[in-house]
Structure formats: structure tokens, C-alpha cells
Amino acid sequence: QVQLVESGGGSVQAGGSLRLACIFSELETTYSMAWFRQRPGQERRGVALIYSTRRIPYYDSSVQGRFTISRDSGQNTLYLQMNNLQPADTGMYYCAAGNAATLSGADYQYWGQGTQVTVSS
């Protein structure tokens, strides 16, 4: 059974950085992986995607230039480096995997339990 376990969340001040990690069990090599954010009172929204082939990243405009997604297949770990964090980045962050080509949550079959990020001004 596929399992995804996130870590690395916490509380920082605006302008600070965090690195999230998602350890995953064996996945289909064709699966893409992504990070989603759920702000308080809002629906979950994709912020960063890395495709299964060629490892090309894609970012939501709200994080472009500040967040970097990467995947270490040897360690079965997905990362999200978050720099220049802002209060609007506050939320629960989820790791997801699936046969996906977009940041639509419906395209992902597997999800972690999430890790909380809180950014204060």
C-alpha cells in the first residue's frame, strides 16, 4: 500500500524559510508528485508539481520564485523548499502522488496526512 508521510512544518516569521519533506513508499514510476496547501476555511489547492518524467517542476503563481520542489528517488523523498514565506502561505501542506499532469487534486490517488505551516507577520 502506498504511504506518504510529511514532516518539516512549523511556525516562522514572515521572510523566513522552511523545508518540507515527504517520505513515500514505492510508487509507480509514471506517477507525478505534488504539494498542496489548504488555507484555513479554504479548499485545498496545488502549489507545486514535479512530473514523473524529466522531473520538470511546475508552480502555482502564488509561490513561483519562492518555492522549489524536488524529488530524491534514491531516498524516496519529495521536498518543498519554501523561502520568503508570507502570512498568506499559512496552511496545512499535503504531499500527493498520482497519474497526474496538472495541479488538480482530483488527479491524485494518494495523499499524506499533512504538516502545518504557520507564518506570522
Side-chain angles (χ1 to χ4, degrees):
Q1 182 176 353
V2 176
Q3 291 188 323
L4 307 172
V5 180
E6 303 96 335
S7 64
S11 297
V12 297
Q13 291 190 326
S17 298
L18 284 173
R19 187 174 81 155
L20 306 183
C22 171
I23 297 176
F24 55 90
S25 58
E26 291 299 322
L27 291 173
E28 292 289 339
T29 56
T30 58
Y31 278 9
S32 297
M33 298 193 74
W35 287 97
F36 285 73
R37 175 176 63 204
Q38 187 167 20
R39 292 169 170 154
Q42 298 185 17
E43 293 185 354
R44 198 158 46 186
R45 176 172 176 165
V47 297
L49 156 68
I50 190 162
Y51 293 100
S52 59
T53 58
R54 296 189 291 170
R55 298 291 193 264
I56 296 175
Y58 175 81
Y59 300 97
D60 181 75
S61 59
S62 66
V63 306
Q64 180 76 46
R66 300 187 298 122
F67 290 13
T68 302
I69 188 172
S70 60
R71 176 174 175 173
D72 184 339
S73 296
Q75 298 294 322
N76 278 14
T77 305
L78 180 75
Y79 296 100
L80 184 68
Q81 177 66 44
M82 305 186 295
N83 297 328
N84 191 22
L85 283 160
Q86 301 299 316
D89 295 316
T90 293
M92 187 71 78
Y93 283 73
Y94 298 90
C95 169
N99 192 17
T102 71
L103 282 173
S104 172
D107 292 343
Y108 292 82
Q109 288 77 48
Y110 302 102
W111 295 84
Q113 294 300 306
T115 185
Q116 177 69 35
V117 171
T118 303
V119 185
S120 58
S121 58

